[in-house]
Structures are given as structure tokens and as C-alpha cells.
Amino acid sequence: VVLEKKEQKTSLQLMDYKTGKMQSVMPAGAFGEISGASLINAGRDVLIESVRGDSTDIGVINLASRKTRWAASYKTEDVLTYGSASGGQGKPVYVMREGESLLLCVLDPEDLTFETMDLRSAIPAYVQPYLENARVESAFIMGDMQLVATVSDGAKGYILLKNLGKDEEPVILGISSRKVSAGSEKIYYINEEGSLCSFDLETNTESTIAAHVEDFCLSQSSGRLAYSVREDTAVRIFMRDVFKGRGILVDIRADVRGFLLNAEGNKIWIQHTEASKTGKRTQMTTVLEFAE
């Protein structure tokens, strides 16, 4: 899903994994200002958040019919974080302020109903300052009751992990990147030292995958991981098999803007810029395919 902003209006586009082509899902301004979008229901639908006046409307666009169903509407000032399904996995979660309460609203992506709980009753008191004094930037539920939330106080970022169904102490991890991906029973993130790490939710153990990482992405099958490391003026992109634990160098470029794996993890799109002889820079997309 791609949000493209032009002249203060945002359009919604979709990139086809197989062809790399872009198609328009929703023209700019159709539903107000789109503030967030993510794929849900195994890529069949797009969850959107639309700001209209002082309200934020939450809806789902079916990609086959292009029909939109609206689930709820909230005052924009009360929405502390938008829903995230972690690359299509897990249930989208919204964190809302309602009077003195801090609500965790879990969306069932199939029937568009919300399950709501008060975070202050679920999270121990010593953790609550992370939620009250910092901005909750994203949150999602893994499995049935495992909350994964990223929060920031403006200077530092943290991951808050709490199994809402068990009476266990939450885990707080310091991060340098706001990006968190989920696969199977693990989450992936870049820690404060700039290392790409995984955290096993079953054993509460952290493992370091690579150092000095700028960015990463995980395939929807959770089997392949791509990450980039900058060395002087070059950006090296590595591919790693999550289960076998082996990583290989797949590409080296001077100006990488981003990269994306397909669902199976055997194809990667690399966005980069190249300079012509006249010095004009053009944005390019290179596609690399690998054997299973």
C-alpha cells in the first residue's frame, strides 16, 4: 500500500507484488485526508484512517469490489495511535483517550467489531508513564492477547510487550527505529545500538542478527529477512533465511531509498536513484529474484 501526497491531498495506491506495477485504489480527497493505511485479511482489504474535520473515521476497502465499510468514528485528538496489522499479520489496534481512561481498541478485521479494554487496568503502574508521557506510535496484537506497542518520548523510542491474558511483567525494549515487524512468535526491530534484533515472545530472549543496520523488511511468510548496511557511500543489502540463519549479500548501491520483499521472500524490489551523464537523478526500481 502506497500513500502519495500531492497538493495537500493523499491518494491511495497499491503495488502488485508479481508485476511491480502501481494501481490507484482511491483518488486523492475521496474520503478526506488519509492518515494511515495497511493491508489486512491476507491482502484482501485495506484498512484506512480518514481525517475529516475534527473526526477520524476508520474503514475497510475491499480490493475486489472497491466498496468501503466504515467501522467507527472518533475525535482526532483522542486517537493516540492508528491501527497496524504488522504486514497483514495480527489484529489492528487503536489506542484512544476517553476522559481519564486510556483505551486499547482491538479491531476484528473480518466483522469490523471492536473489543475495548482499559490499558490502566491491564498494564502495571510503573509502565504507565511510558504510555501517558510518550506518544504511542503504533500497536498491534499478536496471537490472542500479546500486545506489541511502540512508544516515543520525542528523544527515545521503546517497544512495550505485554501478554494481556497473563499476569506477567511487561517487557520494555529500547529501539533506534520506529519499525517493528512480527513473524511467527518473534518480533524484529533495530535496537538502540543500531543492531537488527529478534525477540522471542515465548522465551523472552533477544538475539542479534546484524550490526549497523539502517533498514529491514520481513516477508509475509516470515521466512526471509532483508536488511541494509551502509559502508561509506555504498549501501549493502543482505538476504537472510530466518529458519536456517544464513545471510548472503544480494546487492550494492550508492543511493537506496527503500526495498520490499514479496510474500514468499524470493523476490526483492529495490528503490534507488541513478545519475545520468548530465547529472540528472532518476528514481529507479530494480527487481531481483532468488531460488527458493
Side-chain angles (χ1 to χ4, degrees):
V1 176
V2 178
L3 293 176
E4 185 178 39
K5 192 165 188 176
K6 289 184 177 179
E7 298 179 354
Q8 304 304 312
K9 291 185 178 181
T10 305
S11 63
L12 181 65
Q13 299 185 55
L14 200 68
M15 189 188 84
D16 189 298
Y17 270 116
K18 295 180 180 180
T19 65
K21 293 182 179 180
M22 304 290 292
Q23 59 174 305
S24 176
V25 176
M26 187 185 67
F31 295 125
E33 177 61 20
I34 302 301
S35 52
S38 58
L39 285 171
I40 59 173
N41 295 333
R44 299 189 303 272
D45 302 309
V46 180
L47 176 70
I48 63 170
E49 293 87 32
S50 173
V51 179
R52 290 186 273 198
D54 60 356
S55 297
T56 293
D57 301 331
I58 299 169
V60 170
I61 301 175
N62 180 269
L63 293 176
S65 66
R66 299 299 170 92
K67 292 183 178 179
T68 303
R69 295 181 294 161
W70 298 101
S73 181
Y74 296 93
K75 288 185 177 180
T76 299
E77 62 183 18
D78 293 334
V79 183
L80 302 185
T81 180
Y82 294 120
S84 169
S86 183
Q89 303 177 56
K91 293 182 179 180
V93 173
Y94 295 83
V95 179
M96 307 288 185
R97 181 184 290 111
E98 186 178 273
E100 296 299 318
S101 297
L102 195 63
L103 301 180
L104 184 73
C105 303
V106 184
L107 177 66
D108 186 310
E110 290 288 349
D111 60 17
L112 299 189
T113 58
F114 281 94
E115 178 184 353
T116 302
M117 64 186 74
D118 193 334
L119 275 176
R120 287 186 173 86
S121 64
I123 302 297
Y126 80 90
V127 177
Q128 290 182 21
Y130 285 91
L131 297 172
E132 293 172 349
N133 301 328
R135 176 179 172 82
V136 183
E137 296 189 334
S138 66
F140 57 90
I141 295 288
M142 289 182 65
D144 293 325
M145 297 294 285
Q146 177 65 58
L147 170 66
V148 181
T150 60
V151 297
S152 171
D153 61 7
K156 291 185 177 182
Y158 306 91
I159 300 174
L160 174 77
L161 305 174
K162 178 68 172 76
N163 191 314
L164 300 175
K166 296 181 180 179
D167 187 19
E168 297 177 346
E169 295 296 317
V171 176
I172 299 172
L173 305 169
I175 56 174
S176 64
S177 169
R178 303 295 183 257
K179 186 173 185 177
V180 180
S181 291
S184 184
E185 294 298 322
K186 294 182 179 180
I187 62 169
Y188 296 84
Y189 55 95
I190 299 174
N191 70 6
E192 292 175 297
E193 287 74 38
S195 295
L196 177 60
C197 299
S198 66
F199 189 89
D200 192 307
L201 297 170
E202 286 291 319
T203 61
N204 278 2
T205 55
E206 182 184 61
S207 300
T208 300
I209 297 171
H212 311 298
V213 173
E214 281 197 337
D215 195 8
F216 73 96
C217 65
L218 182 70
S219 67
Q220 284 190 359
S221 66
S222 306
R224 294 271 176 90
L225 187 70
Y227 59 91
S228 61
V229 176
R230 183 175 296 276
E231 296 180 3
D232 297 324
T233 59
V235 175
R236 297 173 178 263
I237 299 178
F238 295 84
M239 184 84 77
R240 181 184 179 92
D241 188 298
V242 171
F243 304 107
K244 296 178 182 178
R246 295 195 299 268
I248 58 171
L249 177 66
V250 297
D251 198 71
I252 302 176
R253 295 188 185 272
D255 192 0
V256 174
R257 298 300 179 89
F259 48 91
L260 181 69
L261 286 169
N262 67 344
E264 296 75 23
N266 65 340
K267 187 182 291 187
I268 185 172
W269 283 266
I270 304 172
Q271 289 186 321
H272 57 96
T273 59
E274 291 187 1
S276 65
K277 293 181 180 180
T278 61
K280 181 181 178 181
R281 304 194 69 83
T282 304
Q283 184 165 308
M284 310 283 289
T285 299
T286 296
V287 183
L288 303 176
E289 191 165 0
F290 309 92
E292 291 287 356

